[in-house]
Amino acid sequence: MLKLVRVERDLDVTLKVSSAGFHALFAAMRADPSALYMVCRDKDGYYEFTCDDSTGYLPTRFLGTSKFAVLWTYDPRAARTVGIFIQRRRDTFFDLSHVLQVYAPCVATPYVVCFAIAVHQIQRHDAETLATELAVLRAVEGRTGFGPRGGVAERLLKLRQHRFDIDELADWMQGLSEVSGRIKNMTRHQRVAGQMLEILLKAGEAGEETAGVPEGPMRVRHETSLRTLSKAVPTLQRQMAVDAEYLAYLQYRAEKLSGVLFAFLTHEDAAANASLAAASKRDASSMKTIAIMTMAFLPATFFAALFAVPSLRWEESDVVQSKFWVYWAFTLPATALVFCIWLTVTNRKWIYSKLIKKRKDGWV
């Protein structure tokens, strides 16, 4: 017998069930209290908690993934498995339930949950790889011409005909980074599923839990279920090994393509810097022209202004009048003031550091 209770979860990791209700369900399962830590800390991985008969707790197992978590106990005397399915990021309960229904004849052993989760992981990873990772890789490879499907001639033609936009390259690099992250996550979950299958095989060889099952039809069903699952494990292991190699190949393609995009991004950035340098050169040339024109007209402007000063009477014998000193009395201090302000503004950091240092020396 197998019973699973589905519990939803909010984005802030809060379970959509009351604390009293969850603890009542946990107590009814007779689960090891140590498993509560795995639920509260949102742990990933596979864990087993074995208990003595004196504690009153049943053998407890916990599996955590990025999409869901399952906590279940097994009562060997009744050959009954009771568990809690905790939805994390995506609702996969019905997909897992469908796999469990396929292997319903093997529910006499608690390892049917491990086996079903491993099958579910393989199916989900195959679907996600085709729909997401492989689609992104092929899209970027098709636009750039770099990849196992693009020839050298086609690649060179694309490079000559198309100049990539920097924002476009940045978006592609972000997509490839996400692909690499998801592939790493799939590989991590595959290792956990492989560990569960290894434990299933060892359980079939040791027969520890079988000894706790009462003799008779119940034990026969338990042994038959465990033997059936153990025979199917090598097939799953071979499929997981092939999937692991394919994921490693996709990871390699993503890393190589990221290097190509980085080279493109560097090239486009260098081209943009060259264009900016050319524009700056043109601006500098324009400023130089303006400066030369200003220098050409500056003497004439100065003498025109000087000759227009009322203190100079060019029609009289005494050209310089008695009040001409007023011109210099205002001009020279104003010029000195302008230069002082300019020096202060351009050297303000140095002046500030000197003042701070002097103030600290005074305090000492």
Side-chain angles (χ1 to χ4, degrees):
M1 180 185 298
L2 172 63
K3 292 183 179 180
L4 276 181
V5 179
R6 176 171 172 262
V7 177
E8 296 183 358
R9 194 186 71 169
D10 290 326
L11 295 177
D12 60 352
V13 199
T14 302
L15 298 179
K16 293 183 179 181
V17 63
S18 65
S19 177
F22 184 82
H23 282 86
L25 178 61
F26 194 86
M29 292 171 53
R30 296 168 60 190
D32 191 319
S34 303
L36 276 177
Y37 181 84
M38 305 299 169
V39 177
C40 297
R41 295 299 178 181
D42 215 30
K43 285 286 188 177
D44 285 353
Y46 178 70
Y47 304 89
E48 288 188 350
F49 304 90
T50 56
C51 306
D52 298 332
D53 294 336
S54 59
T55 61
Y57 303 124
L58 295 175
T60 306
R61 294 169 177 84
F62 175 85
L63 173 73
T65 69
S66 58
K67 302 293 190 301
F68 63 91
V70 183
L71 171 69
W72 71 99
T73 60
Y74 175 69
D75 187 358
R77 294 181 178 84
R80 180 177 57 191
T81 302
V82 180
I84 302 174
F85 179 93
I86 301 175
Q87 174 185 323
R88 287 183 173 177
R89 287 174 48 198
R90 188 181 301 174
D91 189 3
T92 57
F93 178 75
F94 296 104
D95 295 336
L96 181 60
S97 299
H98 177 71
V99 178
L100 286 171
Q101 289 174 2
V102 173
Y103 296 96
C106 301
V107 295
T109 174
Y111 291 102
V112 67
V113 180
C114 298
F115 188 87
I117 290 175
V119 173
H120 174 261
Q121 293 277 37
I122 292 174
Q123 294 176 350
R124 184 172 60 85
H125 288 171
D126 288 344
E128 290 183 356
T129 300
L130 291 175
T132 307
E133 281 68 38
L134 191 58
V136 172
L137 284 174
R138 287 178 175 175
V140 178
E141 289 171 350
R143 294 293 300 275
T144 58
F146 283 81
R149 295 174 175 240
V152 178
E154 180 184 356
R155 185 182 310 158
L156 294 177
L157 183 61
K158 282 181 177 291
L159 291 178
R160 291 193 186 100
Q161 293 179 346
H162 182 69
R163 183 173 179 178
F164 300 105
D165 183 72
I166 292 180
D167 294 334
E168 188 178 31
L169 291 173
D171 292 339
W172 290 346
M173 292 188 68
Q174 180 180 356
L176 290 177
S177 298
E178 294 174 356
V179 166
S180 298
R182 287 192 293 267
I183 289 177
K184 286 290 186 182
N185 192 41
M186 289 182 184
T187 305
R188 181 171 63 92
H189 288 318
Q190 275 193 343
R191 286 196 297 267
V192 175
Q195 293 172 1
M196 290 193 300
L197 295 179
E198 290 289 342
I199 293 175
L200 192 158
L201 288 177
K202 293 179 180 178
E205 296 172 358
E208 295 178 357
E209 284 184 315
T210 305
V213 180
E215 295 184 359
M218 192 176 296
R219 176 175 290 190
V220 172
R221 286 196 300 270
H222 181 276
E223 293 176 345
T224 303
S225 299
L226 193 56
R227 186 165 52 250
T228 302
L229 295 178
S230 299
K231 289 181 180 180
V233 166
T235 303
L236 286 184
Q237 290 177 329
R238 286 192 294 270
Q239 186 173 354
M240 291 174 63
V242 173
D243 291 344
E245 291 181 358
Y246 187 65
L247 288 177
Y249 169 63
L250 293 182
Q251 182 77 27
Y252 173 80
R253 284 170 62 178
E255 292 174 354
K256 291 300 180 182
L257 197 54
S258 296
V260 171
L261 292 181
F262 183 77
F264 283 161
L265 188 62
T266 304
H267 176 73
E268 296 297 331
D269 187 58
N273 289 334
S275 301
L276 183 62
S280 300
K281 185 177 180 180
R282 290 193 298 269
D283 293 341
S285 178
S286 300
M287 294 300 296
K288 183 179 179 180
T289 302
I290 294 173
I292 293 174
M293 296 297 294
T294 303
M295 291 173 60
F297 286 98
L298 186 61
T301 304
F302 170 74
F303 283 109
L306 182 63
F307 290 163
V309 174
S311 299
L312 298 177
R313 302 289 179 89
W314 300 98
E315 69 278 3
E316 298 180 4
S317 57
D318 293 334
V319 176
V320 180
Q321 301 298 313
S322 59
K323 298 295 182 67
F324 186 64
W325 64 270
V326 176
Y327 171 78
W328 297 109
F330 281 92
T331 300
L332 294 178
T335 303
L337 179 62
V338 169
F339 275 98
C340 288
I341 294 175
W342 173 73
L343 289 173
T344 303
V345 172
T346 55
N347 299 280
R348 59 185 181 276
K349 292 184 179 180
W350 180 81
I351 296 173
Y352 180 77
S353 63
K354 289 293 183 182
L355 291 175
I356 294 298
K357 183 177 180 181
K358 185 176 181 181
R359 183 177 297 179
K360 289 182 178 180
D361 294 341
W363 288 346
V364 175

